[in-house]
Amino acid sequence: NDDQDPNCGLLFSMDERQIIDVTMKLCIKHKTDRNLEVEAMNDRVLSGGTLIVARSKEDLEDWQIALRECTCYSVLNHATLSVDERKRSVTANRCAGHDIVVTTFDALKSKDIATPLDDKGHVVHGKVGFQDGWYSARSSGSKNSGRCEQLSVLHQIQWRRVVFIDALGRKSFVAKGSTARGVAAVALTASSRFLFFPPIDDGNSNQVNALAKSDKKAFKSVAAVLHLSQDDAVGGRLSSSMFDLKDV
């Protein structure tokens, strides 16, 4: 239940069809929960539904077919919008008006609008003011001070949930935190965050623990995308929050 532990990311290892099925079940309570959240949300913040970030446009075809055939949700494919459409000021409102928005990591890293970030690289929503502490962090000159980045219009929205579809190993996008894709994934804000990946047929029964031992930098990048603190990552919370389908 993604209501019980907000901002906690879970990793699941399963095939593509199972990933789609589980994500659609996550959205069952979407409309009711979203109406309650919109009422409570500060009117300065644009509230959105579910954002699904896939690796490629080809991957999105299966998602669109499944969502059209099995749900009554309104779906927008952000990745198919032209560059000019993405940069329009009304596009963020258009995306927020749909129940589910699907996009790719490449479209997510498009540089549409200058966006303020906090010291963790998360978007600061609403009108940034002196009371928010962003200006004082910005002027401090420290390495982790607040800054601005050119990000997509999707980053202007506070999402109900974000679902990342990626892979572990060398092909992973979320494990490379210094890239434009990694920065864009970390910057998104949502009440709940999920990372799904297909299993790697390498004989290793615990792929996340293997990642932690073999590449700690990549392990921390995954934790950052899921908005888990570095202490949590080192302490093993990421490992304990990972589920493999064959073990559930």
Side-chain angles (χ1 to χ4, degrees):
N1 186 343
D2 61 349
D3 293 322
Q4 293 179 351
D5 192 4
N7 299 315
C8 181
L10 304 178
L11 296 91
F12 298 81
S13 175
M14 57 185 73
D15 64 37
E16 182 179 353
R17 182 68 254 178
Q18 292 162 338
I19 290 173
I20 292 175
D21 289 343
V22 170
T23 301
M24 288 170 62
K25 289 178 181 178
L26 283 174
C27 298
I28 289 176
K29 291 177 60 182
H30 167 75
K31 288 183 179 293
T32 302
D33 291 344
R34 186 179 177 192
N35 289 339
L36 294 174
E37 281 199 0
V38 170
E39 291 178 4
M41 185 72 72
N42 188 310
D43 59 6
R44 296 189 307 169
V45 179
L46 191 58
S47 175
T50 297
L51 175 64
I52 298 173
V53 185
R55 290 181 58 85
S56 68
K57 290 183 179 181
E58 290 72 23
D59 294 336
L60 295 183
E61 293 179 5
D62 291 336
W63 282 97
Q64 288 185 284
I65 293 173
L67 291 168
R68 289 195 191 105
E69 293 181 351
C70 303
T71 75
C72 60
Y73 301 133
S74 58
V75 182
L76 174 66
N77 189 335
H78 168 265
T80 60
L81 299 178
S82 68
V83 174
D84 290 338
E85 283 182 293
R86 291 179 194 172
K87 293 184 177 181
R88 290 174 183 167
S89 58
V90 297
T91 301
N93 289 280
R94 181 182 173 191
C95 291
H98 284 73
D99 296 315
I100 300 175
V101 176
V102 295
T103 192
T104 63
F105 281 94
D106 283 339
L108 185 67
K109 70 181 179 68
S110 61
K111 301 182 182 300
D112 300 333
I113 185 172
T115 307
L117 304 178
D118 63 16
D119 59 350
K120 295 180 180 179
H122 307 165
V123 169
V124 178
H125 289 288
K127 295 180 180 179
V128 178
F130 289 99
Q131 71 276 11
D132 300 317
W134 186 83
Y135 280 114
S136 58
R138 174 77 170 170
S139 61
S140 67
S142 66
K143 182 178 179 180
N144 296 319
S145 61
R147 65 186 191 279
C148 269
E149 292 280 354
Q150 292 289 131
L151 297 173
S152 74
V153 294
L154 297 176
H155 290 84
Q156 305 304 303
I157 302 170
Q158 168 68 33
W159 297 95
R160 175 69 182 83
R161 64 178 64 84
V162 175
V163 179
F164 298 102
I165 316 297
D166 197 15
L168 289 179
R170 294 182 178 179
K171 295 182 179 180
S172 176
F173 292 149
V174 298
K176 301 170 184 174
S178 60
T179 65
R181 296 187 186 97
V183 170
V186 171
L188 284 170
T189 58
S191 298
S192 299
R193 310 171 75 82
F194 298 86
L195 171 58
F196 295 132
F197 61 91
I200 302 174
D201 188 16
D202 62 355
N204 196 320
S205 60
N206 194 327
Q207 296 168 19
V208 173
N209 279 335
L211 176 65
K213 294 177 181 178
S214 64
D215 193 341
K216 291 185 178 181
K217 183 177 180 181
F219 190 63
K220 289 183 178 181
S221 295
V222 173
V225 168
L226 293 174
H227 287 194
L228 296 173
S229 70
Q230 297 304 315
D231 290 339
D232 288 331
V234 173
R237 185 179 176 189
L238 184 55
S239 295
S240 65
S241 297
M242 178 271 186
F243 297 90
D244 194 301
L245 182 67
K246 64 179 180 293
D247 299 326
V248 177

